[in-house]
Amino acid sequence: MNMIEGHMTFEPSADIPVWDVDPYAEDVLIDPAPYYAELRARGPLVYIPKWSVLASGRYEETRDIFSDHSRFVSSRGVGLNDFKYGEPWRPPSIILEVDPPDHTKTRKVMARALSPKAIAGLKEEFRRTAEMIIEQLIERESFEAIADLAEAFPVAVFPKAVGMVDSDRRRLVDYGAMVFNALGPDNKFRRDAMAMAPDIVPWITGACTRDRLTKGGLGALIYAAADDGEVTEAEAAMLVRSFLSAGVDTTVTGIGSALWCLASNPGEYEKLKADASLARPCFEEVLRFTSPVHTFARTANQDTEVAGLRVAEGTKILCALASANLDPQKWGDPEIFRVDRKPVGHMAFGAGIHGCVGQNLARLELEAVLTVLAETVERVEFAGEAVWRPNNAIHALDRMPLRFIAR
Ligand code: OVV
């Protein structure tokens, strides 16, 4: 058996187009739109020999693959490594990297802790924090929007919401970068991220235990499920780890990309200012337009077909969520950012049983930031060049100097 990046190589069916591209090349990760356009144009599935994977970039097929958890499983990993063969770099997530019935149990516990009811009480605190941070930024001639707002806000509110006793901004942000880079091949981005593991992993693990969490937080709700016998104590710690894996880098990226969209589209910012109730639809459009998580993989668990094309057992399929979100067949004019588009069915939170369980919390965070912005900032202007930060699964800004003109 020939392996590549921890999964089996395979010969694609003859009717699947072969494309000699590296989706994980630095230039593609920095500016992926041309790659997505060609991926969609070449067919519903393409074979990429460089990593011996299939890739899906059209809306319909990407959605179909993502919605079918029994043929396209998560338990073999949602990156290039097939957990059936190799040791994952960390103990697999017991919500992301599992299938039913194991998934059903942990999903229920997480969904309860992140339900609209469980998180409703956070709204005021999110709003106050957004006011405090944005008020200070307005005073400055310019600022570094990724560090000073996109990171500062989630790191101020999220660990506190979870109930973390010890919070460490750099480790929280870098852990997210590790988790998402780990989904790609053993390239520079993955290796650089993994070099941080000896420092970060023990810290993360230590931060997830019951005694490191306060009574009123989301983490305590997970441990309450352990008290009720729904999950074990060790499983509870793993689910708290999932909060920290999935809840920081994603929302940091969402805020950074929202600011980038609004600075790039002043007319759309005018609409948001005129009607702050557009904060939520605006965030959905930011998600569609920028797709913080650009790619998750699935593994075919049986010989099957997609769009009439043969897919063999063990095949890794890269699902380019960001490409589905830019498919003109679905969206008509996907290249236009419109705060009032209301892009129902976008794939930025995934789809199906693994659809983002924290999406309501993400929305609450972005609603706070975008509402306070609309109410207090007259104009959002670039004060320098925005620079993207290549990551094997996240499309995020690295730096973005901005200026807020007071309203
Ligand atoms: C959705 C997501 C992303 C990254 C990590 C996890 C989940 C996790 O459960 O660890």
Side-chain angles (χ1 to χ4, degrees):
M1 191 164 56
N2 286 318
M3 305 291 288
I4 181 168
E5 296 299 327
H7 65 266
M8 272 190 302
T9 60
F10 67 100
E11 284 302 320
S13 136
D15 45 4
I16 297 180
V18 178
W19 186 16
D20 185 18
V21 68
D22 180 6
Y24 301 100
E26 182 160 8
D27 57 330
V28 175
L29 294 174
I30 287 174
D31 177 22
Y35 159 71
Y36 297 146
E38 190 165 348
L39 179 61
R40 289 187 304 265
R42 282 178 180 247
L45 288 178
V46 306
Y47 174 68
I48 298 177
K50 169 115 187 157
W51 306 115
S52 194
V53 293
L54 298 181
S56 161
R58 293 185 184 173
Y59 180 84
E60 200 182 308
E61 285 80 8
T62 304
R63 182 152 193 113
D64 288 349
I65 295 166
F66 246 61
S67 305
D68 192 338
H69 59 269
S70 51
R71 287 189 300 153
F72 304 110
V73 299
S74 291
S75 57
R76 294 168 75 167
V78 297
L80 290 183
N81 297 155
D82 185 343
F83 294 180
K84 185 169 171 179
Y85 302 110
E87 270 291 289
W89 73 278
R90 57 171 195 165
S93 162
I94 61 171
I95 182 160
L96 176 74
E97 293 156 331
V98 286
D99 303 319
D102 300 338
H103 173 263
T104 316
K105 183 182 77 169
T106 50
R107 171 83 188 194
K108 187 174 165 200
V109 172
M110 289 293 265
R112 190 189 307 131
L114 293 162
S115 69
K117 188 168 155 247
I119 64 173
L122 297 168
K123 186 171 171 154
E124 285 311 310
E125 168 86 1
F126 284 11
R127 160 115 204 168
R128 270 197 304 276
T129 305
E131 281 171 356
M132 200 182 68
I133 293 176
I134 290 171
E135 196 177 301
Q136 289 175 5
L137 297 177
I138 292 172
E139 298 298 314
R140 292 167 57 180
E141 150 53 26
S142 71
F143 57 91
E144 186 27 73
I146 301 309
D148 298 345
L149 178 49
E151 287 184 2
F153 178 79
V155 169
V157 300
F158 183 72
K160 200 167 162 192
V162 171
M164 293 178 76
V165 175
D166 357 71
S167 178
D168 179 323
R169 171 170 172 165
R170 188 191 62 77
R171 286 191 175 106
L172 283 169
V173 170
D174 287 349
Y175 187 60
M178 285 178 62
V179 167
F180 285 99
N181 270 315
L183 301 176
D186 181 28
N187 59 9
K188 172 160 96 72
F189 311 114
R190 193 180 199 273
R191 283 193 294 272
D192 288 351
M194 286 302 154
M196 301 187 287
D199 169 59
I200 295 177
V201 172
W203 183 85
I204 290 284
T205 308
C208 294
T209 57
R210 192 192 280 265
D211 64 305
R212 307 316 298 158
L213 295 161
T214 59
K215 290 270 179 289
L218 305 177
L221 291 179
I222 303 298
Y223 277 98
D227 292 334
D228 293 344
E230 281 184 276
V231 291
T232 67
E233 189 84 3
E235 286 172 333
M238 290 292 285
L239 291 176
V240 173
R241 191 193 70 173
S242 286
F243 282 147
L244 309 187
S245 305
V248 180
D249 220 25
T250 48
T251 50
V252 167
T253 302
I255 294 171
S257 294
L259 294 166
W260 178 78
C261 287
L262 294 169
S264 314
N265 296 275
E268 295 306 296
Y269 186 62
E270 288 300 317
K271 288 193 211 165
L272 176 64
K273 256 187 347 184
D275 178 5
S277 76
L278 285 171
R280 276 184 179 241
C282 171
F283 177 44
E284 300 304 317
E285 176 69 343
V286 167
L287 289 175
R288 182 199 66 80
F289 194 69
T290 65
S291 301
V293 177
H294 60 74
T295 307
F296 269 134
R298 292 291 188 259
T299 313
N301 206 27
Q302 54 186 265
D303 292 339
T304 185
E305 277 188 5
V306 171
L309 302 166
R310 195 170 54 72
V311 174
E313 190 280 331
T315 301
K316 283 283 180 183
I317 308 180
L318 305 184
C319 298
L321 303 173
S323 178
N325 282 341
L326 296 171
D327 186 346
Q329 291 271 31
K330 167 71 181 173
W331 305 104
D333 55 355
E335 69 294 345
I336 315 272
F337 172 79
R338 285 206 318 270
V339 293
D340 49 0
R341 178 190 296 268
K342 302 187 174 144
V344 175
H346 73 69
M347 294 284 294
F349 287 131
I353 64 165
H354 288 282
C356 179
V357 73
Q359 58 185 277
N360 292 313
L361 186 54
R363 290 194 177 103
L364 207 60
E365 287 192 31
L366 267 290
E367 182 186 24
V369 171
L370 293 174
T371 304
V372 172
L373 205 63
E375 289 172 1
T376 61
V377 174
E378 181 67 23
R379 286 201 310 279
V380 179
E381 292 177 351
F382 288 114
E385 194 196 351
V387 179
W388 296 87
R389 177 190 301 173
N391 178 295
N392 291 327
I394 289 222
H395 188 231
L397 287 152
D398 184 56
R399 298 186 299 278
M400 182 168 57
L402 284 187
R403 183 176 302 117
F404 283 168
I405 315 294
R407 217 177 145 163

PDB file of all heavy atoms in Angstrom, residues 368-398:
ATOM      1  N   ALA A 368     -22.021  42.016  18.549  1.00  0.00           N
ATOM      2  CA  ALA A 368     -21.545  43.046  19.479  1.00  0.00           C
ATOM      3  C   ALA A 368     -20.549  43.969  18.775  1.00  0.00           C
ATOM      4  O   ALA A 368     -20.693  45.198  18.813  1.00  0.00           O
ATOM      5  CB  ALA A 368     -20.903  42.389  20.707  1.00  0.00           C
ATOM      6  N   VAL A 369     -19.584  43.397  18.115  1.00  0.00           N
ATOM      7  CA  VAL A 369     -18.545  44.214  17.469  1.00  0.00           C
ATOM      8  C   VAL A 369     -19.144  45.087  16.363  1.00  0.00           C
ATOM      9  O   VAL A 369     -18.886  46.294  16.299  1.00  0.00           O
ATOM     10  CB  VAL A 369     -17.418  43.317  16.902  1.00  0.00           C
ATOM     11  CG1 VAL A 369     -16.458  44.126  16.043  1.00  0.00           C
ATOM     12  CG2 VAL A 369     -16.668  42.623  18.047  1.00  0.00           C
ATOM     13  N   LEU A 370     -19.956  44.493  15.510  1.00  0.00           N
ATOM     14  CA  LEU A 370     -20.475  45.239  14.358  1.00  0.00           C
ATOM     15  C   LEU A 370     -21.505  46.284  14.774  1.00  0.00           C
ATOM     16  O   LEU A 370     -21.586  47.359  14.165  1.00  0.00           O
ATOM     17  CB  LEU A 370     -21.057  44.277  13.320  1.00  0.00           C
ATOM     18  CG  LEU A 370     -20.019  43.372  12.636  1.00  0.00           C
ATOM     19  CD1 LEU A 370     -20.695  42.346  11.734  1.00  0.00           C
ATOM     20  CD2 LEU A 370     -19.007  44.201  11.839  1.00  0.00           C
ATOM     21  N   THR A 371     -22.263  46.000  15.820  1.00  0.00           N
ATOM     22  CA  THR A 371     -23.258  46.983  16.286  1.00  0.00           C
ATOM     23  C   THR A 371     -22.552  48.198  16.892  1.00  0.00           C
ATOM     24  O   THR A 371     -22.870  49.344  16.570  1.00  0.00           O
ATOM     25  CB  THR A 371     -24.199  46.343  17.334  1.00  0.00           C
ATOM     26  OG1 THR A 371     -24.804  45.193  16.750  1.00  0.00           O
ATOM     27  CG2 THR A 371     -25.284  47.308  17.763  1.00  0.00           C
ATOM     28  N   VAL A 372     -21.580  47.953  17.756  1.00  0.00           N
ATOM     29  CA  VAL A 372     -20.850  49.075  18.374  1.00  0.00           C
ATOM     30  C   VAL A 372     -20.103  49.872  17.303  1.00  0.00           C
ATOM     31  O   VAL A 372     -20.069  51.105  17.334  1.00  0.00           O
ATOM     32  CB  VAL A 372     -19.897  48.561  19.477  1.00  0.00           C
ATOM     33  CG1 VAL A 372     -19.001  49.672  19.988  1.00  0.00           C
ATOM     34  CG2 VAL A 372     -20.695  47.933  20.616  1.00  0.00           C
ATOM     35  N   LEU A 373     -19.549  49.170  16.334  1.00  0.00           N
ATOM     36  CA  LEU A 373     -18.867  49.841  15.224  1.00  0.00           C
ATOM     37  C   LEU A 373     -19.841  50.785  14.509  1.00  0.00           C
ATOM     38  O   LEU A 373     -19.563  51.977  14.331  1.00  0.00           O
ATOM     39  CB  LEU A 373     -18.366  48.763  14.262  1.00  0.00           C
ATOM     40  CG  LEU A 373     -17.178  49.071  13.372  1.00  0.00           C
ATOM     41  CD1 LEU A 373     -15.946  49.331  14.210  1.00  0.00           C
ATOM     42  CD2 LEU A 373     -16.929  47.886  12.424  1.00  0.00           C
ATOM     43  N   ALA A 374     -20.982  50.247  14.122  1.00  0.00           N
ATOM     44  CA  ALA A 374     -21.974  51.036  13.365  1.00  0.00           C
ATOM     45  C   ALA A 374     -22.440  52.249  14.162  1.00  0.00           C
ATOM     46  O   ALA A 374     -22.694  53.307  13.594  1.00  0.00           O
ATOM     47  CB  ALA A 374     -23.164  50.152  12.994  1.00  0.00           C
ATOM     48  N   GLU A 375     -22.531  52.092  15.472  1.00  0.00           N
ATOM     49  CA  GLU A 375     -23.055  53.181  16.301  1.00  0.00           C
ATOM     50  C   GLU A 375     -22.012  54.252  16.616  1.00  0.00           C
ATOM     51  O   GLU A 375     -22.374  55.384  16.897  1.00  0.00           O
ATOM     52  CB  GLU A 375     -23.614  52.603  17.614  1.00  0.00           C
ATOM     53  CG  GLU A 375     -24.904  51.834  17.408  1.00  0.00           C
ATOM     54  CD  GLU A 375     -25.368  51.096  18.657  1.00  0.00           C
ATOM     55  OE1 GLU A 375     -24.685  51.199  19.712  1.00  0.00           O
ATOM     56  OE2 GLU A 375     -26.392  50.411  18.589  1.00  0.00           O
ATOM     57  N   THR A 376     -20.738  53.881  16.602  1.00  0.00           N
ATOM     58  CA  THR A 376     -19.735  54.840  17.093  1.00  0.00           C
ATOM     59  C   THR A 376     -18.672  55.252  16.070  1.00  0.00           C
ATOM     60  O   THR A 376     -17.964  56.225  16.302  1.00  0.00           O
ATOM     61  CB  THR A 376     -19.006  54.272  18.342  1.00  0.00           C
ATOM     62  OG1 THR A 376     -18.343  53.062  17.981  1.00  0.00           O
ATOM     63  CG2 THR A 376     -19.973  54.001  19.482  1.00  0.00           C
ATOM     64  N   VAL A 377     -18.570  54.526  14.972  1.00  0.00           N
ATOM     65  CA  VAL A 377     -17.492  54.823  14.010  1.00  0.00           C
ATOM     66  C   VAL A 377     -18.100  55.342  12.700  1.00  0.00           C
ATOM     67  O   VAL A 377     -18.923  54.663  12.077  1.00  0.00           O
ATOM     68  CB  VAL A 377     -16.620  53.567  13.754  1.00  0.00           C
ATOM     69  CG1 VAL A 377     -15.592  53.829  12.661  1.00  0.00           C
ATOM     70  CG2 VAL A 377     -15.936  53.123  15.046  1.00  0.00           C
ATOM     71  N   GLU A 378     -17.682  56.533  12.302  1.00  0.00           N
ATOM     72  CA  GLU A 378     -18.193  57.145  11.067  1.00  0.00           C
ATOM     73  C   GLU A 378     -17.602  56.451   9.833  1.00  0.00           C
ATOM     74  O   GLU A 378     -18.312  56.114   8.907  1.00  0.00           O
ATOM     75  CB  GLU A 378     -17.819  58.642  11.067  1.00  0.00           C
ATOM     76  CG  GLU A 378     -18.295  59.432   9.866  1.00  0.00           C
ATOM     77  CD  GLU A 378     -19.820  59.564   9.812  1.00  0.00           C
ATOM     78  OE1 GLU A 378     -20.470  59.440  10.879  1.00  0.00           O
ATOM     79  OE2 GLU A 378     -20.349  59.768   8.704  1.00  0.00           O
ATOM     80  N   ARG A 379     -16.279  56.259   9.866  1.00  0.00           N
ATOM     81  CA  ARG A 379     -15.605  55.624   8.721  1.00  0.00           C
ATOM     82  C   ARG A 379     -14.541  54.638   9.184  1.00  0.00           C
ATOM     83  O   ARG A 379     -13.850  54.887  10.181  1.00  0.00           O
ATOM     84  CB  ARG A 379     -14.939  56.678   7.823  1.00  0.00           C
ATOM     85  CG  ARG A 379     -15.914  57.481   6.967  1.00  0.00           C
ATOM     86  CD  ARG A 379     -15.234  58.138   5.745  1.00  0.00           C
ATOM     87  NE  ARG A 379     -14.016  58.882   6.073  1.00  0.00           N
ATOM     88  CZ  ARG A 379     -13.991  60.120   6.567  1.00  0.00           C
ATOM     89  NH1 ARG A 379     -15.131  60.766   6.802  1.00  0.00           N
ATOM     90  NH2 ARG A 379     -12.847  60.710   6.836  1.00  0.00           N
ATOM     91  N   VAL A 380     -14.417  53.548   8.458  1.00  0.00           N
ATOM     92  CA  VAL A 380     -13.358  52.552   8.672  1.00  0.00           C
ATOM     93  C   VAL A 380     -12.418  52.665   7.483  1.00  0.00           C
ATOM     94  O   VAL A 380     -12.825  52.411   6.349  1.00  0.00           O
ATOM     95  CB  VAL A 380     -13.950  51.127   8.750  1.00  0.00           C
ATOM     96  CG1 VAL A 380     -12.848  50.097   8.956  1.00  0.00           C
ATOM     97  CG2 VAL A 380     -14.996  51.022   9.857  1.00  0.00           C
ATOM     98  N   GLU A 381     -11.164  53.069   7.748  1.00  0.00           N
ATOM     99  CA  GLU A 381     -10.223  53.295   6.635  1.00  0.00           C
ATOM    100  C   GLU A 381      -8.962  52.465   6.818  1.00  0.00           C
ATOM    101  O   GLU A 381      -8.477  52.290   7.937  1.00  0.00           O
ATOM    102  CB  GLU A 381      -9.801  54.781   6.603  1.00  0.00           C
ATOM    103  CG  GLU A 381     -10.918  55.728   6.229  1.00  0.00           C
ATOM    104  CD  GLU A 381     -10.461  57.188   6.286  1.00  0.00           C
ATOM    105  OE1 GLU A 381      -9.331  57.462   6.775  1.00  0.00           O
ATOM    106  OE2 GLU A 381     -11.243  58.042   5.839  1.00  0.00           O
ATOM    107  N   PHE A 382      -8.423  52.002   5.691  1.00  0.00           N
ATOM    108  CA  PHE A 382      -7.111  51.370   5.744  1.00  0.00           C
ATOM    109  C   PHE A 382      -6.064  52.433   6.071  1.00  0.00           C
ATOM    110  O   PHE A 382      -6.107  53.546   5.545  1.00  0.00           O
ATOM    111  CB  PHE A 382      -6.769  50.724   4.402  1.00  0.00           C
ATOM    112  CG  PHE A 382      -7.570  49.485   4.106  1.00  0.00           C
ATOM    113  CD1 PHE A 382      -8.493  49.454   3.058  1.00  0.00           C
ATOM    114  CD2 PHE A 382      -7.402  48.336   4.880  1.00  0.00           C
ATOM    115  CE1 PHE A 382      -9.234  48.313   2.792  1.00  0.00           C
ATOM    116  CE2 PHE A 382      -8.143  47.185   4.616  1.00  0.00           C
ATOM    117  CZ  PHE A 382      -9.058  47.177   3.568  1.00  0.00           C
ATOM    118  N   ALA A 383      -5.117  52.078   6.957  1.00  0.00           N
ATOM    119  CA  ALA A 383      -4.003  52.977   7.269  1.00  0.00           C
ATOM    120  C   ALA A 383      -2.689  52.329   6.857  1.00  0.00           C
ATOM    121  O   ALA A 383      -1.615  52.676   7.346  1.00  0.00           O
ATOM    122  CB  ALA A 383      -4.002  53.300   8.765  1.00  0.00           C
ATOM    123  N   GLY A 384      -2.770  51.372   5.957  1.00  0.00           N
ATOM    124  CA  GLY A 384      -1.601  50.630   5.487  1.00  0.00           C
ATOM    125  C   GLY A 384      -2.103  49.399   4.769  1.00  0.00           C
ATOM    126  O   GLY A 384      -3.312  49.216   4.606  1.00  0.00           O
ATOM    127  N   GLU A 385      -1.177  48.550   4.369  1.00  0.00           N
ATOM    128  CA  GLU A 385      -1.535  47.392   3.557  1.00  0.00           C
ATOM    129  C   GLU A 385      -2.010  46.216   4.414  1.00  0.00           C
ATOM    130  O   GLU A 385      -1.375  45.868   5.414  1.00  0.00           O
ATOM    131  CB  GLU A 385      -0.290  46.967   2.752  1.00  0.00           C
ATOM    132  CG  GLU A 385      -0.587  46.005   1.639  1.00  0.00           C
ATOM    133  CD  GLU A 385       0.677  45.312   1.127  1.00  0.00           C
ATOM    134  OE1 GLU A 385       1.790  45.727   1.537  1.00  0.00           O
ATOM    135  OE2 GLU A 385       0.553  44.345   0.353  1.00  0.00           O
ATOM    136  N   ALA A 386      -3.122  45.608   4.016  1.00  0.00           N
ATOM    137  CA  ALA A 386      -3.587  44.381   4.680  1.00  0.00           C
ATOM    138  C   ALA A 386      -2.780  43.205   4.148  1.00  0.00           C
ATOM    139  O   ALA A 386      -2.603  43.065   2.942  1.00  0.00           O
ATOM    140  CB  ALA A 386      -5.073  44.173   4.417  1.00  0.00           C
ATOM    141  N   VAL A 387      -2.288  42.358   5.059  1.00  0.00           N
ATOM    142  CA  VAL A 387      -1.433  41.219   4.679  1.00  0.00           C
ATOM    143  C   VAL A 387      -2.084  39.934   5.180  1.00  0.00           C
ATOM    144  O   VAL A 387      -2.451  39.839   6.357  1.00  0.00           O
ATOM    145  CB  VAL A 387      -0.024  41.373   5.300  1.00  0.00           C
ATOM    146  CG1 VAL A 387       0.859  40.185   4.943  1.00  0.00           C
ATOM    147  CG2 VAL A 387       0.621  42.680   4.844  1.00  0.00           C
ATOM    148  N   TRP A 388      -2.224  38.954   4.285  1.00  0.00           N
ATOM    149  CA  TRP A 388      -2.854  37.679   4.669  1.00  0.00           C
ATOM    150  C   TRP A 388      -1.825  36.745   5.294  1.00  0.00           C
ATOM    151  O   TRP A 388      -0.626  36.849   5.012  1.00  0.00           O
ATOM    152  CB  TRP A 388      -3.543  37.043   3.463  1.00  0.00           C
ATOM    153  CG  TRP A 388      -4.675  37.906   2.983  1.00  0.00           C
ATOM    154  CD1 TRP A 388      -4.574  38.935   2.091  1.00  0.00           C
ATOM    155  CD2 TRP A 388      -6.036  37.881   3.420  1.00  0.00           C
ATOM    156  NE1 TRP A 388      -5.807  39.535   1.945  1.00  0.00           N
ATOM    157  CE2 TRP A 388      -6.723  38.916   2.743  1.00  0.00           C
ATOM    158  CE3 TRP A 388      -6.760  37.080   4.318  1.00  0.00           C
ATOM    159  CZ2 TRP A 388      -8.081  39.165   2.933  1.00  0.00           C
ATOM    160  CZ3 TRP A 388      -8.110  37.328   4.498  1.00  0.00           C
ATOM    161  CH2 TRP A 388      -8.765  38.354   3.815  1.00  0.00           C
ATOM    162  N   ARG A 389      -2.314  35.843   6.132  1.00  0.00           N
ATOM    163  CA  ARG A 389      -1.448  34.883   6.841  1.00  0.00           C
ATOM    164  C   ARG A 389      -1.786  33.478   6.351  1.00  0.00           C
ATOM    165  O   ARG A 389      -2.843  32.946   6.704  1.00  0.00           O
ATOM    166  CB  ARG A 389      -1.709  34.989   8.345  1.00  0.00           C
ATOM    167  CG  ARG A 389      -0.918  33.999   9.202  1.00  0.00           C
ATOM    168  CD  ARG A 389      -1.426  34.010  10.650  1.00  0.00           C
ATOM    169  NE  ARG A 389      -1.322  35.330  11.256  1.00  0.00           N
ATOM    170  CZ  ARG A 389      -1.816  35.645  12.454  1.00  0.00           C
ATOM    171  NH1 ARG A 389      -2.449  34.738  13.180  1.00  0.00           N
ATOM    172  NH2 ARG A 389      -1.695  36.868  12.939  1.00  0.00           N
ATOM    173  N   PRO A 390      -0.934  32.867   5.530  1.00  0.00           N
ATOM    174  CA  PRO A 390      -1.284  31.552   4.985  1.00  0.00           C
ATOM    175  C   PRO A 390      -1.447  30.498   6.076  1.00  0.00           C
ATOM    176  O   PRO A 390      -0.640  30.416   7.004  1.00  0.00           O
ATOM    177  CB  PRO A 390      -0.100  31.217   4.067  1.00  0.00           C
ATOM    178  CG  PRO A 390       0.987  32.178   4.405  1.00  0.00           C
ATOM    179  CD  PRO A 390       0.364  33.361   5.066  1.00  0.00           C
ATOM    180  N   ASN A 391      -2.535  29.728   5.969  1.00  0.00           N
ATOM    181  CA  ASN A 391      -2.807  28.630   6.902  1.00  0.00           C
ATOM    182  C   ASN A 391      -3.511  27.539   6.099  1.00  0.00           C
ATOM    183  O   ASN A 391      -4.329  27.845   5.234  1.00  0.00           O
ATOM    184  CB  ASN A 391      -3.696  29.133   8.056  1.00  0.00           C
ATOM    185  CG  ASN A 391      -4.061  28.039   9.060  1.00  0.00           C
ATOM    186  OD1 ASN A 391      -4.755  27.079   8.729  1.00  0.00           O
ATOM    187  ND2 ASN A 391      -3.602  28.188  10.293  1.00  0.00           N
ATOM    188  N   ASN A 392      -3.190  26.265   6.393  1.00  0.00           N
ATOM    189  CA  ASN A 392      -3.710  25.153   5.597  1.00  0.00           C
ATOM    190  C   ASN A 392      -5.226  24.988   5.659  1.00  0.00           C
ATOM    191  O   ASN A 392      -5.803  24.285   4.836  1.00  0.00           O
ATOM    192  CB  ASN A 392      -3.025  23.845   6.013  1.00  0.00           C
ATOM    193  CG  ASN A 392      -1.560  23.818   5.604  1.00  0.00           C
ATOM    194  OD1 ASN A 392      -1.183  24.380   4.572  1.00  0.00           O
ATOM    195  ND2 ASN A 392      -0.717  23.180   6.411  1.00  0.00           N
ATOM    196  N   ALA A 393      -5.885  25.596   6.632  1.00  0.00           N
ATOM    197  CA  ALA A 393      -7.351  25.467   6.698  1.00  0.00           C
ATOM    198  C   ALA A 393      -8.074  26.779   6.985  1.00  0.00           C
ATOM    199  O   ALA A 393      -9.302  26.830   6.886  1.00  0.00           O
ATOM    200  CB  ALA A 393      -7.751  24.421   7.741  1.00  0.00           C
ATOM    201  N   ILE A 394      -7.326  27.830   7.355  1.00  0.00           N
ATOM    202  CA  ILE A 394      -7.979  29.100   7.696  1.00  0.00           C
ATOM    203  C   ILE A 394      -7.495  30.183   6.740  1.00  0.00           C
ATOM    204  O   ILE A 394      -6.302  30.236   6.421  1.00  0.00           O
ATOM    205  CB  ILE A 394      -7.670  29.490   9.170  1.00  0.00           C
ATOM    206  CG1 ILE A 394      -8.423  28.547  10.100  1.00  0.00           C
ATOM    207  CG2 ILE A 394      -8.015  30.925   9.451  1.00  0.00           C
ATOM    208  CD1 ILE A 394      -9.064  29.191  11.292  1.00  0.00           C
ATOM    209  N   HIS A 395      -8.415  31.014   6.299  1.00  0.00           N
ATOM    210  CA  HIS A 395      -8.030  32.156   5.471  1.00  0.00           C
ATOM    211  C   HIS A 395      -8.152  33.404   6.331  1.00  0.00           C
ATOM    212  O   HIS A 395      -9.263  33.898   6.576  1.00  0.00           O
ATOM    213  CB  HIS A 395      -8.925  32.254   4.230  1.00  0.00           C
ATOM    214  CG  HIS A 395      -8.456  33.286   3.258  1.00  0.00           C
ATOM    215  ND1 HIS A 395      -9.276  34.258   2.734  1.00  0.00           N
ATOM    216  CD2 HIS A 395      -7.234  33.505   2.714  1.00  0.00           C
ATOM    217  CE1 HIS A 395      -8.574  35.023   1.904  1.00  0.00           C
ATOM    218  NE2 HIS A 395      -7.334  34.586   1.881  1.00  0.00           N
ATOM    219  N   ALA A 396      -7.007  33.881   6.797  1.00  0.00           N
ATOM    220  CA  ALA A 396      -7.017  34.952   7.796  1.00  0.00           C
ATOM    221  C   ALA A 396      -6.011  36.031   7.464  1.00  0.00           C
ATOM    222  O   ALA A 396      -5.007  35.786   6.794  1.00  0.00           O
ATOM    223  CB  ALA A 396      -6.688  34.368   9.168  1.00  0.00           C
ATOM    224  N   LEU A 397      -6.292  37.205   7.992  1.00  0.00           N
ATOM    225  CA  LEU A 397      -5.336  38.300   7.888  1.00  0.00           C
ATOM    226  C   LEU A 397      -4.286  38.175   8.976  1.00  0.00           C
ATOM    227  O   LEU A 397      -4.556  37.699  10.084  1.00  0.00           O
ATOM    228  CB  LEU A 397      -6.068  39.633   8.023  1.00  0.00           C
ATOM    229  CG  LEU A 397      -6.904  39.998   6.796  1.00  0.00           C
ATOM    230  CD1 LEU A 397      -8.089  40.868   7.182  1.00  0.00           C
ATOM    231  CD2 LEU A 397      -6.032  40.692   5.748  1.00  0.00           C
ATOM    232  N   ASP A 398      -3.087  38.605   8.643  1.00  0.00           N
ATOM    233  CA  ASP A 398      -1.983  38.616   9.599  1.00  0.00           C
ATOM    234  C   ASP A 398      -1.850  39.997  10.227  1.00  0.00           C
ATOM    235  O   ASP A 398      -1.674  40.134  11.434  1.00  0.00           O
ATOM    236  CB  ASP A 398      -0.688  38.245   8.865  1.00  0.00           C
ATOM    237  CG  ASP A 398       0.485  38.136   9.806  1.00  0.00           C
ATOM    238  OD1 ASP A 398       0.395  37.359  10.772  1.00  0.00           O
ATOM    239  OD2 ASP A 398       1.495  38.841   9.580  1.00  0.00           O
TER     240      ASP A 398
END
